[in-house]
Amino acid sequence: MLEFTGTPSQVTQWLFEQDRDKVFTVKERKRKRSLTQNAYYWALNDKLASVLRMGRDELHFQMLRSYAPCEVVSLLENVPLGDYFDYYEVFAKGYLNGKTYNHVRVYKNSSRMDSAEFARLLDGTIRECEQQGIQTLTPAEVANLKYIEPKEE
C-alpha cells in the first residue's frame, strides 16, 4: 500500500504527479493521545476508583459513558455483543418484521481515541477527581503532558 503524508498543498502537488487512471483515498491524520496522558488518566482513574470504592474497569466504563464518543447501532438480539464491542450498553429493544433487535450504545475504546477525544475523557476525569478532593495537575501541567513523548520517526 502506497502512503504519502504531507500538508494539503504537498498532497495536492503529489497527486498531480501521479498516473491519472489511478484512484486514491485521502485521510486526515489525527494525532493519537500520548502515552503520558494515558498513564495520567489511569493513575487518576485508580485513585478515583479507590475513593468511590469501585473497580478500576467499572469506573473506566462509567467515564467512557460520560465522556467518550459513542455510536448507536441496532443488532439482532442473538448477536453476542461482547464478541464485537469492548464497551457497550443495550438501552432499548425494537421489533421489525417479527425479529427482535437490541439498540446499543457503543463507546469508543480509549486506546483508539485521537488526542481531542482523549482530552475530553481526561478533562472529565479530572473534574470528577476534583469533586472528590483528589489532587490533580494544573491545566498548564496537563497541556504539557503531550510533549513528554519520544519523537516519532
Side-chain angles (χ1 to χ4, degrees), residues 91-111:
F91 66 91
K93 290 199 179 286
Y95 306 93
L96 181 65
N97 297 329
K99 295 181 181 175
T100 304
Y101 290 82
N102 285 325
H103 301 302
V104 184
R105 280 190 196 93
V106 180
Y107 298 92
K108 192 168 192 175
N109 193 315
S110 62
S111 65

Side-chain angles (χ1 to χ4, degrees), residues 3 5 27-31 152:
E3 188 174 315
T5 303
K27 291 184 183 179
E28 178 183 5
R29 185 175 182 184
K30 293 187 177 184
R31 245 177 13 128
E152 288 185 34

